[in-house]
Amino acid sequence: MVVGVNGVGKTTTIGKLAYQLKKKGKERYAWRSDTFRAAAVDQLTIWSKRVDVPIVQQGMGADPASVAFDAVSSAVAQGVDVVIIDTAGRLHNKINLMNELTKIKRVMQKLFRMHLMKYC
């Protein structure tokens, strides 16, 4: 999950990270959890094409935690090595946005625990 304030280069970093993982032979996906900024869709789509990395996204305004749930569930089912979640930029003083990040993290942790319990 890539987190940071507005405009620091999260989406660009995801594109570069996906390319590095691809060079190492890792199966990876980029998932767009930034469902509020239309430009994020275009930017991540361009990067996914540029580095030949699959991208999965939901429509504008979708619940970011729901997107993360779908991302992790699908990745586990398909045996993907790495899932990269792009989140919307946050200002640390906006409590509702920070709570949303906590919710996304909780959803992903729950899925990972369920997956690990299946194989232990």
Side-chain angles (χ1 to χ4, degrees):
M1 187 166 100
V2 181
V3 177
V5 296
N6 298 334
V8 296
K10 291 178 298 297
T11 304
T12 299
T13 300
I14 286 170
K16 293 176 179 181
L17 178 61
Y19 178 69
Q20 292 299 318
L21 291 166
K22 178 183 177 181
K23 283 187 358 183
K24 291 182 179 190
K26 298 289 183 186
E27 184 68 35
R28 69 265 156 234
Y29 278 115
W31 289 77
R32 184 180 67 83
S33 198
D34 179 353
T35 59
F36 301 107
R37 187 173 65 94
V41 177
D42 298 335
Q43 189 179 7
L44 200 54
T45 300
I46 289 167
W47 271 107
S48 71
K49 288 178 183 173
R50 188 180 290 166
V51 300
D52 192 29
V53 172
I55 179 175
V56 178
Q57 53 198 3
Q58 291 181 2
M60 290 298 295
D63 176 40
S66 167
V67 176
F69 178 88
D70 289 347
V72 174
S73 296
S74 180
V76 167
Q78 296 178 35
V80 172
D81 296 318
V82 179
V83 178
I84 306 170
I85 307 282
D86 185 18
T87 64
R90 298 293 192 273
L91 298 174
H92 66 283
N93 59 350
K94 301 292 184 190
I95 192 69
N96 290 341
L97 295 175
M98 298 305 288
N99 288 341
E100 187 176 87
L101 291 175
T102 302
K103 181 180 173 185
I104 294 169
K105 179 183 172 192
R106 236 185 4 255
V107 164
M108 289 189 306
Q109 284 176 326
K110 188 177 197 178
L111 283 168
F112 285 128
R113 272 191 237 112
M114 287 173 28
H115 176 68
L116 288 174
M117 289 174 58
K118 220 190 300 186
Y119 294 100
C120 292

